[in-house]
Amino acid sequence: MTALSLRALNRALLDRQFLLARTDRTPLEVIGRLVALQAQEPNWPYVGLWSRINGFTRAELTALVEDREVVRSALLRSTQHLTTADDFLRTRPLLQPVLDRTAGSSYFTRNRAARNSATAHGTGLDAASLVAEGLALLGGRTLPRRELARRLAERHPGHDGRILAGEVELRTPLVHDPATASWGSWGNRSAISVTPAEAWLGRPAAATGDGEAAKELIRRYLAAFGPAGVKDVQAWSGLTRLGEVVATMGAELRRCSGPGGAELFDLADAELPDPETPAPARLLPAFDNVLLGHADRTRIIDDEDRPRVMPGSARVLPTFLVDGRVRGTWSLAAGTLRLTPFRPLRAADRAALEEEAHRMLPFVGGTAVTHDDRPATT
C-alpha cells in the first residue's frame, strides 16, 4: 500500500474541500460536492462558501434556499445541515437510524413517559403515535416550531412540548423555512418554522436506505474528505458497521496507509496533490466540515489545540488556517474581527492572514481587523 504522510493527507483534504484554491463552481455544485454544510447557526454556511468560492455572495445561497434547491434540516450526526434538496431526499432515509438513535436517548424517552397523576397509570406516549400526531398537526403546511410544541403540550399535559416537537423533527423529515435558514437570523431559533419535507419539495424521499445507498454515501464522502478510514466516515455520518460495506466495494477503492500505519481508503481514480503545494491563509466558520469530517483530525488540527476550538457544550469555534492547519480562532464583535493565534505566527503568515481577514470584512459586515498581542516570529 502507498504510505501517506500527514502533510499529504492535509493537502488532499484541502484540495477536495476547495481550501487549497477557491473554485469557480456554483454554490449548488460546491454544496453537492461537500454533501452537506453544518448549519447550527444559519450564517456559518455562508462564511464557509465565501472561503471556498470565487466571488461568492450571500444572495446566491439565499436564493437557493428560497427556491427550495437547498434545505436546512437535521441530517448528519442528528445535527442541522444545509444540503441540496436532491441529496436530502436521497440521504435522509439512509441516515434515519442515526436520528432515531438520538430520538431514543433518555432526554426524549423520559419526556414521553407518564409525567403526572393524570397519565401515571398509562405507559406514556409511544414514538410512532407522537410522529403521527405531529404530522397531523402540521397538515402538510409550515408551522412555527414553538406552535407545534404548544399544541403537543396542550394534548399531553405533564410533557415538555419543546422536547416532543424536537423528537418529531428527528423522527420524520422536516425542513426549516427560508426566513430562519438564511443569513441574518442568527440566534433566532425560537422563530424557526418547519414543514414536512415532502410537502415543501413536492416529492417524497427515496426508499429506505440500503447497501447501495451506503456505498454511494461512502463514495461521496471520499470525494470530499478522502483518503480516510472506516472510523472517519462513521464519525462524519453517525452510521455504524460501514466496514462491512467498504469490504464489498472491491476495486473501486484503493487502499493506502496513513501515519502510524492506519488503513485508509480512497476512490480508485482520485488524484492527490503534491504535498508541497502551498496552502493559503483561510478563515473558516464555526462547525466547518473540514474540522468535523474525521475521527482522527490530526491532518488538520493538532490534538493539543482541539480543546481551544472545541471547548465543550457542543461548540466548535471559528478558526483560521495557516499553511493548511488550524493555528487559531477568530471572532466578530461590534464590527471588529479579532484574530487569536494559539502561538506566535511568522511575520509573513501573520500578514497573509490579516490580508485574508480584511477581504472578509465586507462580507461579514465588519469594519476593522485586530490581532491579539502575540508577537510575530521572523
Side-chain angles (χ1 to χ4, degrees):
M1 293 188 295
T2 301
L4 298 175
S5 67
L6 202 61
R7 187 177 178 89
L9 292 175
N10 172 268
R11 293 308 195 254
L13 176 62
L14 296 180
D15 185 46
R16 296 180 196 193
Q17 289 278 320
F18 304 112
L19 292 170
L20 205 53
R22 282 185 169 92
T23 181
D24 290 324
R25 298 190 191 192
T26 69
L28 191 65
E29 290 171 330
V30 171
I31 296 170
R33 167 67 172 266
L34 302 181
V35 187
L37 297 177
Q38 185 95 12
Q40 293 299 90
E41 290 285 0
N43 285 15
W44 290 128
Y46 286 79
V47 176
L49 292 177
W50 179 87
S51 291
R52 289 169 165 88
I53 301 174
N54 284 317
F56 173 74
T57 66
R58 297 182 201 165
E60 292 176 277
L61 180 53
T62 298
L64 290 174
V65 175
E66 291 177 344
D67 293 343
R68 310 188 187 195
E69 293 184 77
V70 167
V71 297
R72 182 188 189 212
S73 183
L75 200 63
L76 298 162
R77 304 180 302 281
S78 301
T79 55
Q80 301 298 332
H81 280 75
L82 275 186
T83 187
T84 71
D86 289 343
D87 279 343
F88 179 77
L89 294 173
R90 279 193 293 261
T91 59
R92 176 64 187 247
L94 177 64
L95 297 171
Q96 190 58 53
V98 180
L99 287 94
D100 288 341
R101 188 168 68 234
T102 301
S105 67
S106 60
Y107 175 77
F108 294 99
T109 56
R110 281 200 307 263
N111 185 58
R112 273 197 284 108
R115 294 291 295 277
N116 61 20
S117 59
T119 59
H121 63 280
T123 58
L125 283 165
D126 67 89
S129 297
L130 174 62
V131 170
E133 190 169 76
L135 289 174
L137 289 171
L138 286 164
R141 67 187 189 281
T142 300
L143 194 69
R145 183 195 277 169
R146 59 189 173 192
E147 179 64 13
L148 176 61
R150 184 187 68 79
R151 295 187 186 186
L152 287 170
E154 282 181 348
R155 285 159 175 76
H156 303 286
H159 301 266
D160 188 323
R162 293 171 300 173
I163 299 177
L164 293 177
E167 184 171 353
V168 171
E169 193 169 343
L170 285 170
R171 291 193 181 276
T172 193
L174 305 180
V175 299
H176 294 182
D177 67 314
T180 51
S182 301
W183 181 276
S185 55
W186 196 283
N188 199 19
R189 296 182 182 181
S190 63
I192 289 173
S193 293
V194 293
T195 311
E198 183 173 348
W200 182 255
L201 298 175
R203 57 195 193 278
T208 302
D210 56 16
E212 187 52 45
K215 289 180 184 179
E216 180 57 23
L217 189 66
I218 290 169
R219 295 182 194 107
R220 298 282 301 282
Y221 169 81
L222 291 173
F225 295 91
V230 171
K231 289 183 179 179
D232 293 318
V233 65
Q234 290 182 162
W236 168 77
S237 65
L239 293 168
T240 59
R241 303 182 66 177
L242 292 181
E244 300 172 9
V245 181
V246 167
T248 69
M249 297 179 72
E252 68 173 295
L253 300 181
R254 67 170 180 253
R255 271 71 174 168
C256 49
S257 64
E263 185 179 36
L264 305 178
F265 302 88
D266 202 5
L267 299 174
D269 59 352
E271 296 183 2
L272 296 174
D274 184 338
E276 298 308 313
T277 304
R282 287 287 183 264
L283 275 70
L284 302 179
F287 305 102
D288 193 86
N289 293 33
V290 80
L291 298 183
L292 300 174
H294 301 85
D296 179 359
R297 299 169 184 171
T298 54
R299 70 187 64 199
I300 189 74
I301 184 171
D302 295 339
D303 283 338
E304 66 183 285
D305 292 332
R306 281 184 63 173
R308 303 170 186 254
V309 174
M310 303 164 191
S313 302
R315 290 182 298 158
V316 181
L317 303 181
T319 59
F320 60 77
L321 304 179
V322 172
D323 192 27
R325 301 189 62 79
V326 174
R327 296 304 188 198
T329 61
W330 64 275
S331 59
L332 182 68
T336 297
L337 194 160
R338 179 177 297 275
L339 300 165
T340 305
F342 297 147
R343 52 194 63 86
L345 302 174
R346 295 185 307 161
D349 291 333
R350 176 169 172 153
L353 177 62
E354 291 184 355
E355 182 180 354
E356 179 74 355
H358 278 286
R359 281 195 291 266
M360 178 182 275
L361 278 182
F363 187 85
V364 296
T367 56
V369 173
T370 186
H371 203 109
D372 275 2
D373 189 19
R374 296 173 186 265
T377 60
T378 56

